[in-house]
Amino acid sequence: MAKTVAQGLFSDPRIAEAKKLIQDALKDHKSHITGVKPANPELKESYDQLLKRVADYRGGALFYNYIGSGIGNGPLVELADGSVKYDFITGIGVHYMGHSHSGVINATIEGALQNTVMNGHLQQNTASAEVLELFSKAACKNGALVKNVFLTTSGAMANENAFKMILQKRAGASRFFAFEKCFAGRTLGMAWVTDKGAYRVGLPKTLDVDYIPFYCADDHEGSIKLAVNAMKKYIGRYPGHHAGFCMELIQGENGSWVGNKEYFEALIAVCKENNISVFVDEVQTFARTRELFTFQYFGLDKHVDVVSIGKNSQVCATFFTDDHKPKPGLMSQTFTGASSQISAAHYVVSEMLSGGYLGENGKIEKLHARFKSNLEKINKKHPEKLNGPYGIGAMVAMTCFKGDEAKTKAFTIKLFENGVLSFMAGGGNTTRVRFLMPVMVTEEKHIDEVCEIIERTLSAME
Ligand SMILES: Cc1ncc(COP(=O)(O)O)c(C=O)c1O
């Protein structure tokens, strides 16, 4: 078969040799990262200056004093002060493969070898076609109809694109449903979907959203009734005005609150009766349950009209059915993603599908069971300091000091200083601490060590 010049370059033995040299060097250097380590005092002054520079030029200090050095080993990451920490938040659920992963670095080198830094909708390379096909087949494997995939550069943009195609399809209807306390991103549009007042202070209103109470496991029947009734009431108040329902099936930013199949099906039935598109926001949940997509975990395949993904997928995307196809002119973007990013996305998602992570006996379930049982033991010893755990799969959360926001913040910062990255979620007196572990590289022994540090940190706090 005829070959392109590019294929000649990518299969050149000198490239293979160069990649091997890089891998050898990487292996040597990352082998020095073996466990949690305090900062090197000799690097303190330069690190403090670095933090100040970042704070000065970005217009505010960072939540954690975190500036990575550029290397890590599995779930461990080295910071520029020489310290080493367990990364159990992974850039808020992005570094599924941990740090300095050889397969991912190989994939990004292959991407970096390509002719341009960025791909866009006007000019894409062959790797985009491969990613589109991989994503589409994975989404539709159980009969979902969301076979069309539009790549983009952030979760919020994937959601914006979803809202636009739904609004165009349902032209004339402009309201949306979403769950109370949901998170949808930081654009001007998504600021009016995310149910948090502080995130839209001073912003002009862009979307009308009616909020439905989220599932409550303690009151299964009651919460279904409450949510269905709320939907019907809004539909009665604004007949024909609802275009779509934006559903976060497990609420990530709110602290890993898990929904329920029957609950979702009841709400979807109301959507279908009223021509309301079902949009599932999987930006945070993608690859965190025992199914690649959480709509697959809840068995909602036949009902989804539009789905967004991001974070773990490395490149973001909006999936949609044929009848939600936008008309020409509605959507395009200069950037779909960097060549190295698209290459990494293909590697990471292929791994997720074939590497033993999914399924009832997959790695995600095993890691969850270990984390859950360790946290339950800590809860038994310190019931006044830790409650939970909550969540499913690789979305694990807990409550510290009965959900007190200020104490939880103090705990996450102490935990960081002691060597574990986590993050706050929710707020007020239901604040939680959440973990989004790097599934590909986490072993049970890492979870044990992280839990020891959690217990030690809690014990030292009043
Ligand atoms: C459910 C959900 N939707 C959308 C977003 C926005 O994604 P991004 O920060 O990539 O714009 C997030 C980010 O945390 C999210 O959790």
Side-chain angles (χ1 to χ4, degrees):
M1 210 169 96
K3 254 184 163 187
T4 61
V5 175
Q7 283 167 327
L9 169 69
F10 302 146
S11 59
D12 187 315
R14 287 172 295 180
I15 300 289
E17 203 181 314
K19 283 203 295 202
K20 189 181 170 309
L21 278 175
I22 290 174
Q23 287 296 343
D24 289 348
L26 180 69
K27 199 169 158 201
D28 281 354
H29 289 275
K30 76 179 194 182
S31 70
H32 298 296
I33 298 173
T34 53
V36 169
K37 216 171 89 177
N40 181 338
E42 285 174 32
L43 294 172
K44 183 171 173 17
E45 203 183 323
S46 63
Y47 194 65
D48 287 348
Q49 278 167 8
L50 195 59
L51 287 167
K52 186 175 173 327
R53 239 164 79 207
V54 170
D56 285 351
Y57 290 111
R58 82 183 270 282
L62 299 161
F63 184 84
Y64 288 127
N65 286 339
Y66 178 110
I67 297 179
S69 71
I71 194 169
N73 190 4
L76 294 166
V77 59
E78 182 191 62
L79 306 196
D81 62 0
S83 68
V84 173
K85 299 183 190 296
Y86 270 111
D87 184 3
F88 263 41
I89 195 61
T90 57
I92 319 187
V94 178
H95 318 311
Y96 200 76
M97 56 293 180
H99 296 266
S100 303
H101 187 287
S102 61
V104 176
I105 287 188
N106 236 349
T108 55
I109 292 170
E110 283 162 15
L113 270 176
Q114 293 187 21
N115 56 322
T116 55
V117 175
M118 298 299 286
N119 285 251
H121 284 284
L122 190 63
Q123 291 173 264
Q124 308 197 41
N125 285 350
T126 55
S128 295
E130 285 160 22
V131 163
L132 292 173
E133 184 177 354
L134 180 73
F135 281 14
S136 176
K137 285 187 171 160
C140 299
K141 81 174 171 80
N142 301 330
L145 298 174
V146 287
K147 70 177 179 56
N148 307 289
V149 186
F150 192 89
L151 298 183
T152 187
T153 44
S154 75
M157 266 317 294
N159 285 355
E160 286 281 337
N161 290 333
F163 273 70
K164 279 168 73 176
M165 55 182 87
I166 291 170
L167 286 166
Q168 188 177 68
K169 176 172 171 59
R170 309 282 181 200
S174 60
R175 303 187 78 84
F176 269 80
F177 284 113
F179 293 125
E180 285 177 2
K181 299 192 178 176
C182 72
F183 184 84
R186 304 275 185 171
T187 56
L188 200 43
M190 292 310 108
W192 288 94
V193 180
T194 295
D195 187 20
K196 204 152 186 174
Y199 294 0
R200 50 190 177 222
V201 169
L203 303 184
K205 194 171 195 190
T206 51
L207 280 167
D208 286 314
V209 177
D210 297 315
Y211 293 99
I212 301 300
F214 195 63
Y215 178 68
C216 172
D218 294 335
D219 183 13
H220 175 75
E221 293 297 335
S223 70
I224 294 176
K225 221 184 253 170
L226 191 70
V228 167
N229 287 344
M231 258 189 102
K232 288 186 173 166
K233 202 165 155 191
Y234 281 120
I235 291 170
R237 185 177 291 159
Y238 304 109
H241 282 265
H242 291 92
F245 197 143
C246 171
M247 297 188 171
E248 203 188 345
L249 305 179
I250 304 170
Q251 295 194 317
E253 297 298 299
N254 193 32
S256 306
W257 293 78
V258 185
N260 170 273
K261 180 178 168 66
E262 224 183 298
Y263 167 85
F264 293 129
E265 282 175 345
L267 299 184
I268 288 170
V270 182
C271 289
K272 299 290 167 186
E273 281 160 21
N274 291 280
N275 284 330
I276 296 168
S277 300
V278 175
F279 162 45
V280 175
D281 174 350
E282 296 232 18
V283 171
Q284 189 154 151
T285 54
F286 181 72
R288 294 218 165 260
T289 69
R290 60 172 177 255
E291 295 287 342
L292 189 64
F293 290 83
T294 304
F295 74 77
Q296 294 169 338
Y297 173 82
F298 286 113
L300 306 175
D301 303 71
K302 297 276 160 49
H303 308 303
V304 291
D305 295 307
V306 182
V307 177
S308 62
I309 64 167
K311 297 185 185 269
N312 285 332
S313 52
Q314 307 302 307
V315 66
C316 303
T318 312
F319 298 68
F320 50 101
T321 58
D322 279 342
D323 68 348
H324 281 74
K325 264 190 188 170
K327 294 193 177 97
L330 189 75
M331 280 163 44
S332 184
Q333 267 177 246
T334 307
F335 292 163
T336 50
S339 302
S340 52
Q341 185 187 0
I342 289 171
S343 196
H346 193 274
Y347 173 82
V348 172
V349 176
S350 304
E351 256 303 290
M352 286 168 182
L353 288 166
S354 63
Y357 306 101
L358 305 173
E360 271 177 37
N361 301 312
K363 187 175 182 187
I364 291 177
E365 288 294 308
K366 288 202 179 104
L367 294 179
H368 181 86
R370 185 65 158 235
F371 211 166
K372 182 167 179 276
S373 90
N374 284 357
L375 291 177
E376 278 168 356
K377 278 182 208 148
I378 305 177
N379 163 253
K380 279 213 179 86
K381 278 205 237 168
H382 307 277
E384 71 297 347
K385 290 188 178 175
L386 186 154
N387 292 103
Y390 313 102
I392 54 171
M395 293 178 83
V396 174
M398 63 190 203
T399 304
C400 291
F401 304 102
K402 307 289 177 203
D404 179 280
E405 189 166 346
K407 279 190 167 177
T408 305
K409 182 173 180 188
F411 168 78
T412 55
I413 289 171
K414 273 266 161 249
L415 190 65
F416 171 80
E417 287 164 4
N418 289 345
V420 175
L421 276 145
S422 66
F423 202 32
M424 289 168 75
N429 57 6
T430 54
T431 306
R432 287 180 171 180
V433 178
R434 72 189 146 132
F435 303 93
L436 296 163
M437 59 186 138
V439 168
M440 263 183 204
V441 289
T442 302
E443 304 298 336
E444 289 178 339
K445 64 177 185 207
H446 301 133
I447 291 180
D448 294 348
E449 195 169 349
V450 162
C451 288
E452 272 171 38
I453 300 172
I454 290 173
E455 185 170 2
R456 182 164 20 104
T457 307
L458 274 176
S459 300
M461 285 180 76
E462 281 314 315

